[in-house]
Amino acid sequence: MGLFDRFRRKPRPGVLRTASNQDTSHLEKWAASRRGVEAYVEPKTTVTETTVVLVAHDGEWTRRRVASPDAARSFARKLGMPIYDAGIVGYPKRMRDYTARQKKLGNG
């Protein structure tokens, strides 16, 4: 550990950030403020931990880290939303359409 390492704001390269209570809180608030929300679990990669993507009825979406696929399923059950494995079923067309609309508007 270098002399000034403790003052760094960003994690060191190669160190994955894990899920936090802030991530879960964001997901809960986001889902509560939208309708028709579904969850899509994304597997852990060499770059990120396991994540969950929430997609609303209109295709608006958000992504946050979760502790594990089981934690994502538990989260979805708790909020009463359907959950899918993004690696198996892919993402809904409405999500891609929403992203394309945002890019055209200059928001993405």
Side-chain angles (χ1 to χ4, degrees):
M1 178 178 205
L3 182 61
F4 295 104
D5 284 356
R6 72 174 134 206
F7 300 113
R8 289 183 183 191
R9 291 186 183 265
K10 295 181 182 178
R12 292 174 31 190
V15 177
L16 296 179
R17 185 176 77 79
T18 58
S20 70
N21 289 338
Q22 291 172 329
D23 293 322
T24 304
S25 177
H26 168 81
L27 293 170
E28 288 173 349
K29 289 175 185 174
W30 195 92
S33 65
R34 285 146 181 93
R35 62 185 173 91
V37 178
E38 298 175 333
Y40 293 82
V41 179
E42 299 174 315
K44 178 179 177 178
T45 69
T46 57
V47 180
T48 62
E49 292 292 327
T50 302
T51 53
V52 66
V53 176
L54 299 185
V55 182
H57 78 285
D58 62 353
E60 183 182 3
W61 59 275
T62 189
R63 173 185 287 121
R64 289 294 185 275
R65 289 171 182 83
V66 291
S68 67
D70 286 339
R73 286 187 281 278
S74 176
F75 172 82
R77 269 194 310 275
K78 175 181 154 188
L79 297 183
M81 70 177 64
I83 186 163
Y84 307 99
D85 185 328
I88 295 173
V89 301
Y91 299 100
K93 184 175 182 325
R94 69 182 185 277
M95 179 182 168
R96 294 187 299 276
D97 292 346
Y98 177 85
T99 301
R101 285 192 308 271
Q102 294 304 304
K103 285 183 181 180
K104 283 183 183 178
L105 294 173
N107 296 334

